[in-house]
Amino acid sequence: MSEDGEPKQGHARALDEWERMGLDKRIEYDNLRRVFERLDLKKDDRIDKFELKAQYDVLGHKPRPTTEYGLSEVEDIIWEVDEDANGWIDWENFVQLYLRCRKDRTGKEPTRLFNLIEFMVCDKDGGGTMSEDECMEILYHRFGKEVMKDLTDQLFKRKVDEAEKEFTFTEFLKLVDGNNGILSSHLKKMNKQQDKK
């Protein structure tokens, strides 16, 4: 190492954990770790169906008791993410799902846990809401500038003297759900354009 703490020429510096995992920024790692630790109520380095259900209860969201696969929605979410088929989500599964969804431009990755993660990243105090600006930032990253330009007035319309809107998790889902949300038609349009390329 040189005196300024940088690796000497010809010596590669060791990668930090967040870099090894494929995250672009240290803040992403810190945010994901904070959310994972909030979900991991038992502090056993994994998230099971009871812990996931507990977070939905805190947020006032009611997952479906049974999906088309005969599982509860919470069990179904874990099944989508659980690469090891051990019945829970560990840190590696958690980060890999986040990365796959963050980079997905096809709309084919399962996003139910990703939606929860992004919401919880913005809900730093655990109060159950995210601000309008935080919501817009997520939508911008997911859908791009053109979609946001088209929808900003429709989605975030308010009077001059009104305070910024706070979104609950359920309201956030109504925006981002790829099948039924307000933005679903725009997502389908984006997918058709991708398919043509």
Side-chain angles (χ1 to χ4, degrees):
M1 287 267 169
S2 67
E3 290 178 23
D4 61 358
E6 293 297 316
K8 291 182 181 178
Q9 244 177 343
H11 291 69
R13 73 175 178 83
L15 295 177
D16 288 327
E17 182 180 5
W18 64 272
E19 293 170 304
R20 284 192 306 276
M21 298 185 99
L23 295 166
D24 294 331
K25 299 175 184 170
R26 172 69 192 211
I27 189 73
E28 277 184 306
Y29 175 87
D30 293 342
N31 285 334
L32 290 177
R33 181 50 81 180
R34 177 176 46 81
V35 170
F36 185 85
E37 288 172 0
R38 272 179 53 199
L39 288 168
D40 180 19
L41 299 173
K42 297 175 189 170
K43 305 303 177 211
D44 56 2
D45 293 321
R46 57 187 181 210
I47 302 163
D48 63 30
K49 64 183 180 180
F50 303 107
E51 292 166 312
L52 192 54
K53 173 74 169 77
Q55 183 59 43
Y56 282 131
D57 290 344
V58 165
L59 294 173
H61 181 69
K62 299 191 183 336
R64 293 178 291 160
T66 308
T67 66
E68 58 273 20
Y69 304 109
L71 302 170
S72 72
E73 185 173 10
V74 171
E75 291 170 312
D76 199 31
I77 290 169
I78 289 175
W79 178 84
E80 290 174 339
V81 179
D82 180 16
E83 297 291 329
D84 318 2
N86 53 18
W88 61 74
I89 302 166
D90 62 24
W91 173 242
E92 297 291 325
N93 295 154
F94 189 79
V95 173
Q96 291 311 308
L97 166 89
Y98 176 83
L99 288 170
R100 284 194 320 266
C101 288
R102 186 76 173 192
K103 294 174 182 175
D104 179 33
R105 296 294 171 240
T106 67
K108 294 182 176 27
E109 286 292 339
T111 58
R112 291 180 293 182
L113 182 61
F114 180 66
N115 289 334
L116 179 63
I117 293 168
E118 285 208 314
F119 184 86
M120 290 180 70
V121 164
C122 294
D123 181 23
K124 291 177 181 65
D125 66 355
T129 61
M130 74 163 51
S131 74
E132 190 174 291
D133 284 342
E134 291 164 331
C135 185
M136 287 179 68
E137 183 177 340
I138 289 171
L139 297 176
Y140 177 82
H141 284 294
R142 282 200 199 181
F143 300 105
K145 182 179 178 179
E146 291 305 312
V147 171
M148 285 310 299
K149 192 166 57 173
D150 292 344
L151 295 176
T152 299
D153 290 337
Q154 177 187 343
L155 297 175
F156 304 103
K157 195 174 191 174
R158 67 174 190 263
K159 297 175 184 163
V160 174
D161 59 341
E162 269 184 313
E164 182 176 279
K165 180 166 177 45
E166 292 283 320
F167 288 89
T168 65
F169 181 64
T170 302
E171 290 170 326
F172 175 67
L173 288 180
K174 287 178 184 174
L175 290 174
V176 299
D177 182 346
N179 297 317
N180 305 312
I182 292 172
L183 295 169
S184 63
S185 62
H186 291 280
L187 183 59
K188 289 172 186 165
K189 188 188 320 182
M190 285 172 40
N191 286 339
K192 284 181 183 177
Q193 290 172 350
Q194 288 284 337
D195 290 342
K196 289 179 183 178
K197 292 181 180 180

